[in-house]
Amino acid sequence: MPPPPLLLLLAALVLAAARPGCEPAWDPAGGCPRLAAVDSATCVDLQLRTCSDAAYNQTAFPTLLEHRSREVVESSSEYVLLSVLHHLLEGQCNPDLRLLGCAVLAPRCQGGQVRRPCRHVCEGLREACQPAFDAIDMAWPYFLDCGRYFASQQEGCYDPLEKLRGGLDEEEALPSGHPATFIHFTHHSYAQMVRVLKRTAARCAHIAKTYSIGRSFDGRELLVLELSSRPGQHELMEPEVKLIGNIHGNEVAGREILIYLAQYLCSEYLLGNDRIQRLLNTTRIHLLPSMNPDGYEVAAAEGAGYNGWTSGRQNAQNLDLNRNFPDLTSEYYRTASARGARSDHIAIPQHYWWGKVAPETKAIMKWMRAVPFVLSASLHGGDLVVSYPFDFSKHPQEEKMFSPTPDEKAGPSAWTLVPLPPELQMFKLLARAYADVHPMMMDRSENRCGGNFLKRGSIINGADWYSFTGGMSDFNYLHSNCFEITVELGCVKFPPEEALYTLWQHNKEPLLNFVEMVHRGIKGVVMDKFGKPVKNARISVKGIRHDITTAPDGDYWRLLPPGSHIVIAQAPGYSKVIKKVTIPARMKRAGRVDFILQPLGTGPKNFLLGPRRNGPGGAGPHGEPEEPGQEPLGARRLPEASGSKPWWWSYFRSLGQHQPRWLLKY
Ligand SMILES: *[C@@H]1O[C@H](CO)[C@@H](O)[C@H](O)[C@H]1NC(C)=O
Ligand SMILES: *[C@@H]1O[C@H](CO)[C@@H](O)[C@H](O)[C@H]1NC(C)=O
Ligand SMILES: [Zn+2]
C-alpha cells in the first residue's frame, strides 16, 4: 500500500522546515522570500463554517498547509478533525483549540498580508489541553505544532483567541488602588462578569485571585474568585468555603449577588472593616458566580421579567446540572441498614460514567477533589427558602418525605441516647444561619412567594419539599467532607434590574453569617508521634454515621452543633485515639482538637482497617479511582484490542486515503 499523501506532505514539510527561516507554505518558488511572498497574498472572504466565529473574516490560499481552495480545505482530514473536536474532547479546550486550528487552516489575511497566530497562545493551549488528548489516546495534531506554524510577538503575530478574552487585557491595565468600589447593581453579561472578577482580583491582589475550574460545554471559562489572606494556597487548618451561583442558567440572582459580594469583600477589607478582615484572615472563600454560563446566555437573550421557568435552565447539552451529579443517595439508602454502612466518601458507581456527564459537572467534581471544602451553598431562584440534604427521598414512591442525613438524625447527645432538640442539628443550624437574618424570609406580614415555608422558619429538608436525584448537595455530603445547603433567593428567577439592589441588601448579611458558620465545631491536625501529618485519617463522631477525613496536611474540620461529643481519629496502621469534647452554646470559633496516633505494634498485617467503603477497592476518600478525567474514558472506551483503532476513528473512516493517521499514537 502506498503511503497516504498526507504523510508525504508531512515529510515535505519537515524537510522544508529544516531550512532556517523558510516557510514552505508561503514559498512555492523554492526560495525564502518571507515578507515578499506574504505581501502578495490575495485576501478572500473566510467561508468555512467551522471557523465562522474566528476573530477575522478574510483568509488566503494556499493556506499554511498548502490547501489551494476552500473545497480542498473542507475535504481535508484536518478540517474534519476541527469540526468534531468539540465532541471528541467532550467540550474540553474548545472553542480555543478549534480557533487555533482555524488560524492555521484558514490563516488570517489582512491588507494583502497573511498573518500568523502567536506561538505563546499555542504553547499555553498545548500545555492545558495535552491531557485531554492523552485521555482519548489521540496524538497532538501535527498542524498545531507551535514551533512550525506559529510566530513570535516580534514577528507581529496576533492572538486568535482575542475574542474569547473579551478585551480583558486593557481592563486589567487600568490603574488600581482605588479604595472605594462602586458596585453596579446591574445584570452582568459573561464578559462583564469576567472583567469585574479580574478587576476585583487586581484591586485586592494581596487577598484575591481568580482561577478557572474548567469550561462550560460552549467553552466559557468557569471562573472563580478566591479570597483569603494567602490566595492561591491552602493554609493549615484554615477552612474553605465555596459559594456557587447560576447552576440553573435562568436563575440569575445568585450570579449577581456573588459578583457584588466579591467586590464588597474586597473593598471592605481595604477599608479596614474588622469583621471582613477577620473573616478573610481566617477563611478561604471561593466564589463561582456562574456554574452555567451557557444557560445564562439563553435566558439573558429572552431578558429580565420575560424569562419563563425553563429557558436556559439547562446547560448547552440540555442537561439539568443539578440532576447530573452521581446519585449516591440511592447507593446510601441501599446499604444504610447494613452493619457498618457509611454515609461518607461513597465511591461514584461505574455506570454513572456511561451516561452523559456535563463538563460543568465534571469541573465541580474535580474542584471538590482539589480543595478540602468544608461548607458550601448553591444559590437558586424561583422560591424563597433554604433547603438542606437529602434532596432525594428515602422512600422512592414518596415525593415529599423528610429524609435527613445522619448529621441531622443524631447530634451531640446521640451517644447517650438523649433526643436532640431540633435547633441543635447541624444542617438546620446552617440553614437557619441564612434564613434567620434574611428580612424577607422572616417577614410574617408580607404576602410573598414561598409563604408556605414561613411557619417552618423558611427552611426545609429538600426531600420533604420535593424529591429528586443527582443533585449537587447530596453529592457533596455523600462523596466529600463538604456540607452544602441550597438557597432559593426569591420568587423571580430573572429579576428586573431595579430589584437587584434590594436583593443584595437582603442577602448580604445572610451570606456573611452563613460563611462564618464554617468556624463552628472542631478542627485540628492528625499526626503521628513524630509530628508528621497523617492524611486521609478518619474523624468519627459517636452517634453520627458520617466521617470526615483529613486533608493532605493532616488537618480536618468537623462541623458540630454545641454539646458534648465523643470524637475518634483513626488511620490504617495506627491505633485509634478517642477524645471527649464539649462545645459551648455560644462558641464562635472552632475548638482545636489535635490527635497524635501511635503506630500499631508491628508490620502491615496488623493494619486497623477503616470502615469499608461501598466502592470496589476502598480507595482514599479523595477518590483516585473516581478521577472523572480518566474513569469515564476507561469505562466507556474500553482498551482496544491490539491492532484495532480507537473509538474515535469512526469519525474519519469516510475520508478514505486521507485518514488522519497522524492522530494515531501507535
Ligand atoms: C469583516 O470585518 C471587518 C472588520 O473586522 C468588517 O468591517 C467587515 O464588515 C467584515 N466583513 C464581513 C463580510 O463580515
Ligand atoms: C488581618 O490580617 C492583616 C494582615 O496580616 C492584618 O493587618 C489585620 O490586622 C488582620 N485583621 C484582623 C481583624 O484580624
Ligand atoms: Zn434552581
Side-chain angles (χ1 to χ4, degrees):
M1 200 174 83
L6 265 166
L7 281 185
L8 288 177
L9 170 61
L10 198 52
L13 285 174
V14 170
L15 281 176
R19 279 181 284 156
C22 218
E23 299 301 335
W26 300 351
D27 185 21
C32 282
R34 282 182 81 79
L35 286 175
V38 171
D39 279 337
S40 67
T42 307
C43 296
V44 297
D45 281 350
L46 173 61
Q47 286 178 325
L48 299 168
R49 226 170 64 89
T50 293
C51 301
S52 61
D53 55 344
Y56 50 91
N57 56 20
Q58 297 239 296
T59 187
F61 296 100
T63 68
L64 300 187
L65 300 183
E66 295 273 286
H67 295 141
R68 302 203 157 265
S69 70
R70 180 183 143 203
E71 288 69 30
V72 176
V73 173
E74 279 173 342
S75 59
S76 71
S77 52
E78 293 88 346
Y79 185 78
V80 173
L81 174 66
L82 291 187
S83 313
V84 297
L85 199 56
H86 189 80
H87 193 78
L88 297 186
L89 300 180
E90 298 190 320
Q92 290 183 82
C93 286
N94 273 301
D96 307 36
L97 216 49
R98 178 172 52 75
L99 291 175
L100 196 73
C102 285
V104 174
L105 224 56
R108 176 178 194 160
C109 191
Q110 199 178 21
Q113 285 201 355
V114 167
R115 294 190 57 194
R116 284 202 295 164
C118 288
R119 186 166 299 137
H120 72 269
V121 176
C122 175
E123 284 165 351
L125 269 187
R126 168 128 202 194
E127 195 180 318
C129 304
Q130 180 71 56
F133 281 83
D134 291 345
I136 60 169
D137 251 329
M138 184 183 274
W140 186 259
Y142 78 92
F143 62 96
L144 298 181
D145 179 336
C146 306
R148 190 176 306 159
Y149 300 107
F150 295 79
S152 65
Q153 264 157 332
Q154 290 79 16
E155 294 167 285
C157 69
Y158 73 97
D159 179 357
L161 310 182
E162 186 178 38
K163 249 168 70 174
L164 293 180
R165 304 194 212 278
L168 262 180
D169 298 343
E170 288 160 47
E171 289 286 343
E172 276 173 321
L174 282 180
S176 57
H178 227 285
T181 304
F182 299 99
I183 302 179
H184 295 285
F185 295 100
T186 57
H187 289 291
H188 288 76
S189 69
Y190 180 74
Q192 288 166 334
M193 172 177 74
V194 169
R195 213 172 294 149
V196 169
L197 295 180
K198 297 227 167 173
R199 217 188 295 148
T200 303
R203 177 175 289 128
C204 277
H206 59 309
I207 53 153
K209 199 173 172 217
T210 55
Y211 64 93
S212 164
I213 59 164
R215 283 181 186 270
S216 68
F217 189 77
D218 279 349
R220 293 185 177 88
E221 210 88 68
L222 301 173
L223 200 67
V224 172
L225 181 84
E226 170 203 338
L227 293 130
S228 93
S229 48
R230 284 170 77 190
Q233 61 194 96
H234 174 72
E235 285 181 81
L236 190 71
M237 270 187 294
E238 184 173 275
E240 311 221 12
V241 182
K242 60 183 157 77
L243 299 175
I244 299 177
N246 205 202
I247 178 174
H248 289 139
N250 61 335
E251 298 170 13
V252 307
R255 167 182 170 124
E256 295 306 329
I257 284 171
L258 292 183
I259 294 172
Y260 310 153
L261 181 65
Q263 298 169 83
Y264 173 82
L265 290 175
C266 163
S267 78
E268 290 301 303
Y269 191 98
L270 294 181
L271 291 170
N273 178 325
D274 197 55
R275 180 189 187 188
I276 301 304
Q277 285 205 345
R278 198 164 351 102
L279 181 64
L280 297 187
N281 282 359
T282 57
T283 321
R284 196 171 171 210
I285 302 172
H286 306 255
L287 308 176
L288 172 60
S290 184
M291 181 179 156
N292 184 2
D294 298 346
Y296 178 85
E297 292 302 311
V298 175
E302 288 193 356
Y306 180 73
N307 182 259
W309 281 104
T310 51
S311 289
R313 177 184 173 92
Q314 274 92 338
N315 82 339
Q317 295 161 284
N318 212 19
L319 295 172
D320 186 330
L321 299 178
N322 206 30
R323 307 288 184 273
N324 193 237
F325 284 84
D327 169 21
L328 302 183
T329 328
S330 295
E331 301 280 317
Y332 165 64
Y333 291 144
R334 207 162 44 73
T335 58
S337 56
R339 220 179 100 79
R342 311 295 326 170
S343 70
D344 56 85
H345 305 97
I346 297 177
I348 298 171
Q350 284 286 333
H351 62 78
Y352 169 73
W353 300 110
W354 292 70
K356 270 193 183 171
V357 183
E360 294 87 349
T361 312
K362 272 190 203 163
I364 296 285
M365 294 195 283
K366 204 169 142 200
W367 192 29
M368 285 171 56
R369 196 168 301 115
V371 182
F373 291 115
V374 180
L375 185 63
S376 173
S378 172
L379 308 182
H380 292 244
D383 217 315
L384 190 65
V385 69
V386 180
S387 79
Y388 56 90
F390 291 121
D391 279 325
F392 184 48
S393 171
K394 64 182 170 189
H395 198 293
Q397 263 71 54
E398 291 290 342
E399 284 293 302
K400 294 173 196 285
M401 186 172 199
F402 181 61
S403 307
T405 64
D407 264 276
E408 211 58 18
K409 286 184 284 200
S413 306
W415 54 281
T416 59
L417 302 176
V418 177
L420 179 73
E423 65 274 15
L424 292 185
Q425 298 185 0
M426 198 60 222
F427 268 113
K428 286 203 182 75
L429 284 180
L430 293 174
R432 284 205 174 163
Y434 202 103
D436 284 0
V437 294
H438 191 292
M440 290 294 282
M441 288 184 183
M442 285 298 114
D443 189 340
R444 309 196 153 266
S445 65
E446 204 80 28
N447 184 13
R448 41 166 224 170
C449 74
N452 43 342
F453 299 113
L454 196 52
K455 58 181 182 300
R456 306 170 181 255
S458 287
I459 68 169
I460 191 167
N461 170 259
D464 202 6
W465 181 16
Y466 67 92
S467 170
F468 65 91
T469 60
M472 186 162 70
S473 296
D474 284 7
F475 178 75
N476 267 265
Y477 184 77
L478 293 172
H479 188 68
S480 80
N481 290 323
C482 189
F483 284 36
E484 184 175 271
I485 61 162
T486 299
V487 182
E488 298 282 348
L489 292 162
C491 339
V492 186
K493 293 194 173 190
F494 204 129
E497 212 144 82
E498 312 84 77
L500 293 175
Y501 178 68
T502 310
L503 262 167
W504 161 245
Q505 286 295 318
H506 286 171
N507 288 285
K508 179 181 93 182
E509 180 56 31
L511 282 168
L512 295 176
N513 205 41
F514 172 74
V515 171
E516 286 166 344
M517 288 298 282
V518 79
H519 296 287
R520 296 304 174 91
I522 57 171
K523 67 176 180 181
V525 181
V526 179
M527 52 202 149
D528 67 11
K529 62 179 177 180
F530 305 110
K532 197 170 142 275
V534 179
K535 67 171 179 180
N536 288 339
R538 302 179 77 87
I539 305 296
S540 320
V541 177
K542 203 154 189 189
I544 306 179
R545 274 191 175 190
H546 187 82
D547 292 353
I548 295 301
T549 54
T550 54
D553 297 338
D555 41 356
Y556 78 91
W557 304 261
R558 184 54 167 104
L559 296 174
L560 283 172
S564 290
H565 305 274
I566 288 182
V567 184
I568 304 143
Q570 56 191 318
Y574 298 93
S575 56
K576 52 169 111 169
V577 175
I578 303 175
K579 292 192 177 185
K580 182 175 170 183
V581 303
T582 300
I583 301 173
R586 304 215 170 276
M587 195 156 113
K588 291 232 166 176
R589 338 187 75 146
R592 178 157 180 188
V593 183
D594 290 348
F595 292 91
I596 297 172
L597 303 184
Q598 300 292 334
L600 281 178
T602 50
K605 282 201 187 73
N606 279 0
F607 267 20
L608 173 73
L609 288 172
R612 280 211 64 76
R613 254 161 239 114
N614 299 347
H622 292 288
E624 288 73 32
E626 293 114 45
E627 171 61 62
Q630 285 163 13
E631 185 164 291
L633 310 164
R636 200 155 47 92
R637 296 150 192 178
L638 297 170
E640 301 296 323
S642 61
S644 71
K645 297 286 189 293
W647 60 274
W648 42 259
W649 190 249
S650 57
Y651 283 91
F652 305 104
R653 281 202 202 284
S654 64
L655 289 168
Q657 60 168 350
H658 292 292
Q659 283 170 352
R661 297 184 168 276
W662 34 270
L663 288 175
L664 297 173
K665 280 188 166 172
Y666 35 80

